[in-house]
Amino acid sequence: MAEQRQQQQQGVPVAESTGGGGGGKNINADEKTARLPRVTIQFCTQCKWMLRAAYFAQELLSTFSTSLGEVALQPATGGVFIVEIITTSGSDQATLSKKVLWDRKTDGGFPETKELKRRVRDIIDPGRGLGHVDRDYPKPKPEEEGEKIAADEVKRDVEAGKACTIEGKEKCEDCQ
């Protein structure tokens, strides 16, 4: 019991299966002792995709540094290029969750670096900005903020005499 407590304090989960609906996938021994969050990049050695996989690993480590516990390269065959992330879920940090970030066969081709970074960020730290990577993808503003902006515009139009003081629209018959 003391060993499990020490592992949890170090960020090492002790559960054997992933969370989620239905039956979770069994997690092997390497995944039980891995530092989390853990990104795995499975690549086809026959297709010579190791350099591409290493490049993505380097980019993720450069961007997220200590926010990621581990980035692993897994050689495979059969034309696979799959990027997965394993995280802890729940308040007890004992349940593992595994999510596919990118699958070459289902997503079509290889990810752009910025798209892969966005997907990792959305899981491990959704509030984090990615600088120029987020430039083309602004985060939506909350509705309350949008409503405040609209109210300010109406107020400005009323003060300028461009809008009706009653309805906040174009001047009505009473305002003319």
Side-chain angles (χ1 to χ4, degrees):
M1 190 64 154
E3 182 180 322
Q4 284 183 344
R5 194 172 310 124
Q6 183 181 11
Q7 286 178 340
Q8 283 179 334
Q9 289 173 351
Q10 294 173 351
V12 179
V14 294
E16 300 246 352
S17 64
T18 60
K25 293 181 183 177
N26 285 336
I27 303 297
N28 64 32
D30 290 342
E31 291 169 336
K32 285 191 290 185
T33 59
R35 293 182 54 202
L36 299 179
R38 180 178 198 243
V39 175
T40 60
I41 303 174
Q42 199 175 83
F43 63 96
C44 178
T45 56
Q46 295 170 326
C47 302
K48 312 284 187 210
W49 290 337
M50 183 172 65
L51 187 58
R52 185 184 307 257
Y55 169 74
F56 283 125
Q58 175 216 334
E59 285 293 318
L60 292 176
L61 286 169
S62 295
T63 300
F64 298 103
S65 59
T66 58
S67 297
L68 289 175
E70 177 178 359
V71 177
L73 300 179
Q74 295 181 340
T77 58
V80 300
F81 193 89
I82 300 170
V83 182
E84 297 176 322
I85 188 166
I86 300 170
T87 58
T88 56
S89 59
S91 60
D92 61 355
Q93 300 289 312
T95 306
L96 297 180
S97 175
K98 186 176 198 177
K99 180 177 169 93
V100 174
L101 296 173
W102 192 271
D103 185 339
R104 186 187 69 82
K105 292 181 179 176
T106 58
D107 292 314
F110 298 97
E112 287 191 34
T113 308
K114 62 184 180 180
E115 179 60 26
L116 188 57
K117 287 179 180 182
R118 250 188 246 110
R119 291 183 183 192
V120 169
R121 182 267 323 264
D122 290 347
I123 291 174
I124 65 170
D125 191 2
R128 178 181 177 163
L130 291 176
H132 68 280
V133 172
D134 281 336
R135 187 178 305 143
D136 296 334
Y137 297 91
K139 294 183 178 163
K141 296 179 182 178
E143 287 183 34
E144 297 168 1
E145 192 173 318
E147 290 171 3
K148 182 182 179 204
I149 292 170
D152 289 344
E153 288 175 358
V154 169
K155 183 178 177 184
R156 189 174 51 242
D157 288 345
V158 168
E159 290 171 356
K162 296 180 183 175
C164 175
T165 57
I166 299 170
E167 298 175 10
K169 299 181 181 174
E170 292 183 27
K171 282 193 167 190
C172 64
E173 293 177 340
D174 296 335
C175 293
Q176 291 183 3

